[in-house]
Amino acid sequence: MTVTETETTTGPGADTCAGPPQGDRRPDGADRYTISEVVALTGLTAHTLRWYERIGLMPHIDRSHTGQRRYSNRDLDWLALVGKLRLTGMPVADMVRYAELVRAGDHTYTERFELLKQTREDVLSRIAELQGTLAVLDRKIDFYADAGRALASERAR
């Protein structure tokens, strides 16, 4: 891992971080968040968090002695990564596959690399498509701006 990478290694094969920690986080070791605290920190719903866990997108979430979920900073990092993957348009099945590969350990690096590389290519393709769409919008905006100025000039006569 290079100095510029933001992935955190928390154990063998752990690849869990999407970026710098969000604000209002507790120090490691004191990082036991309830589901409502994670909702407030991430903007996700409790239903979404439970669904992520149910489909295998989240690693095992610790529980309190009363059975309440207790999330860690590492879990928040993972949720940040999942949020970024969602923004790429990666299908949920591929995100679940990526999570399974992470949990499987270091021997899956090549598969993870290929999955993320393909996602990157898909994102670049979408960016190119959006740039083309933006160019069309810009031309239309320029047309209407020019037409608006021409109408205003005609009315001023």
Side-chain angles (χ1 to χ4, degrees):
M1 211 174 330
T2 65
V3 175
T4 59
E5 288 179 316
T6 56
E7 296 182 49
T8 302
T9 304
T10 57
D15 173 6
T16 60
C17 181
Q22 301 102 336
D24 299 327
R25 288 175 39 154
R26 299 177 185 135
D28 290 341
D31 57 335
R32 294 291 167 231
Y33 304 93
T34 65
I35 198 165
S36 60
E37 290 172 320
V38 173
V39 164
L41 285 167
T42 64
L44 297 170
T45 66
H47 174 79
T48 298
L49 292 168
R50 289 185 199 104
W51 181 64
Y52 282 179
E53 189 177 357
R54 194 168 47 254
I55 66 171
L57 190 52
M58 286 293 297
H60 170 75
I61 303 299
D62 288 336
R63 304 276 180 144
S64 70
H65 68 285
T66 61
Q68 259 192 332
R69 287 171 177 84
R70 294 293 185 208
Y71 295 84
S72 67
N73 287 333
R74 187 178 65 132
D75 297 324
L76 294 178
D77 291 342
W78 180 259
L79 287 168
L81 174 61
V82 167
K84 297 298 183 192
L85 294 177
R86 286 180 61 215
L87 288 173
T88 70
M90 180 186 274
V92 172
D94 286 349
M95 287 188 276
V96 170
R97 177 69 182 138
Y98 181 79
E100 290 168 349
L101 292 169
V102 169
R103 286 191 294 273
D106 292 352
H107 68 280
T108 66
Y109 276 7
T110 301
E111 286 179 85
R112 288 186 247 173
F113 170 81
E114 292 300 328
L115 183 58
L116 293 176
K117 185 176 165 193
Q118 181 58 54
T119 300
R120 184 179 191 279
E121 290 171 13
D122 294 344
V123 168
L124 288 172
S125 175
R126 283 183 46 224
I127 288 170
E129 183 179 2
L130 287 171
Q131 286 173 329
T133 301
L134 184 60
V136 169
L137 288 172
D138 287 343
R139 284 193 303 273
K140 285 300 210 181
I141 289 168
D142 289 345
F143 170 80
Y144 287 114
D146 292 343
R149 281 190 292 273
L151 283 174
S153 175
E154 245 179 66
R155 287 185 190 141
R157 291 183 195 175

